[in-house]
Structures are given as C-alpha cells and as structure tokens.
C-alpha cells in the first residue's frame, strides 16, 4: 500500500492542472504486480479534462494489464479525495471490488475503501447483451 501511495505521490508532480490548480496523482496496482500511474490532465475546454485515476487505468489496460487490484489517489488537499463517479465506473469495469486508497499529498491522512462501498450499483456491460 505504501508503494502504491508513493507512486501516486510521485506522479502528482506531473499533473497538468493550470486552471483548477488542483493536482491529483493516481497509481493502479494490477495482479501482475505492476504499477501504472496517472495524473489529472486539464484542458482549456474544461469538459475534456481527464482525471488521474482514469489516466492510470487506461495506461494499465492499454498495456494489456486489466486485472486491477487497487487504485491509490493522492491529492494536494487537506482531506483525502474519493474518485469521482466517472472514475468509479471505469474502475468497476475491471474490478468492482478493487481496493481504493485515498491519501493527502503529505501522507497525513489515508483512507481505504472497497470500490463496492463507493459504487454499490455500477452499470454492467451485460445489460447491453440482447
Ligand atoms: Zn474522476
């Protein structure tokens, strides 16, 4: 868990948040033991902004590593921040029971949750089948 938080904290330095100044780093741990990091990437067209968690998940998946076990989110905030609804849904696609670790950048506060507690009823792909 410490390794994952540290990876997210290290990634946070690369956050691209010139508009909100709210820098976030994320790190995904997969069953293979690999860690993939991400940062929030903002855009002048605000709606195009992507959260750190989704960047990290997409990096893992694009490397063919889909078995997500845990996601750490580190933000420069007084209290740990939880993944937004969109990120919860994206993580749930790969593991609805993923461990979610939320921490402040200074490591003062750490909260751990099961994704199921944050998103009890994710939209399921099998709903699309005829
Ligand atoms: Zn998000």
């Amino acid at each position: 868990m410490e390794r994952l938080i540290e990876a997210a904290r290290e990634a946070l330095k690369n956050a691209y948040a010139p508009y909100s100044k709210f820098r976030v780093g994320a790190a995904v741990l997969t069953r293979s033991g690999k860690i993939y990091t991400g940062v929030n990437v903002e855009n002048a067209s605000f709606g195009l902004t992507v959260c750190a968690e989704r960047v990290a998940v997409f990096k893992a998946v694009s490397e063919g590593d889909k078995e997500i076990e845990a996601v750490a989110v580190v933000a420069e905030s007084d209290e740990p921040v939880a993944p937004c609804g969109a990120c919860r849904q994206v993580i749930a696609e790969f593991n609805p029971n993923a461990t979610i670790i939320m921490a402040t950048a200074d490591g003062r506060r750490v909260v751990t949750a099961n994704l199921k507690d944050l998103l009890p009823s994710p939209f399921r792909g099998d709903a699309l089948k005829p």
Side-chain angles (χ1 to χ4, degrees):
M1 185 167 104
E2 282 306 315
R3 197 165 65 102
L4 201 58
I5 292 172
E6 187 49 42
R9 182 183 298 123
E10 186 65 27
L12 187 144
K13 295 172 185 167
N14 295 324
Y16 181 74
Y19 306 106
S20 73
K21 313 287 188 208
F22 187 67
R23 293 149 47 93
V24 183
V28 166
L29 173 68
T30 60
R31 186 179 300 256
S32 70
K34 285 188 182 171
I35 289 177
Y36 301 86
T37 58
V39 298
N40 54 330
V41 181
E42 295 184 344
N43 191 277
S45 176
F46 292 174
L48 301 180
T49 294
V50 180
C51 304
E53 301 94 307
R54 272 178 285 158
V55 171
V57 168
F58 294 159
K59 274 170 79 174
V61 173
S62 68
E63 296 293 322
D65 213 349
K66 302 185 193 76
E67 295 183 84
I68 291 171
E69 295 201 330
V71 179
V73 188
V74 174
E76 289 178 328
S77 53
D78 291 336
E79 298 295 327
V81 294
C84 77
C87 290
R88 294 177 195 193
Q89 177 67 35
V90 166
I91 298 166
E93 177 77 16
F94 301 101
N95 181 0
N97 288 299
T99 298
I100 307 296
I101 303 158
M102 298 154 274
T104 56
D106 59 11
R108 208 167 27 84
R109 292 281 323 276
V110 177
V111 177
T112 302
N114 184 300
L115 181 58
K116 205 86 180 169
D117 297 327
L118 300 176
L119 185 67
S121 302
F123 179 75
R124 305 285 311 170
D126 51 11
L128 302 173
K129 292 176 184 156

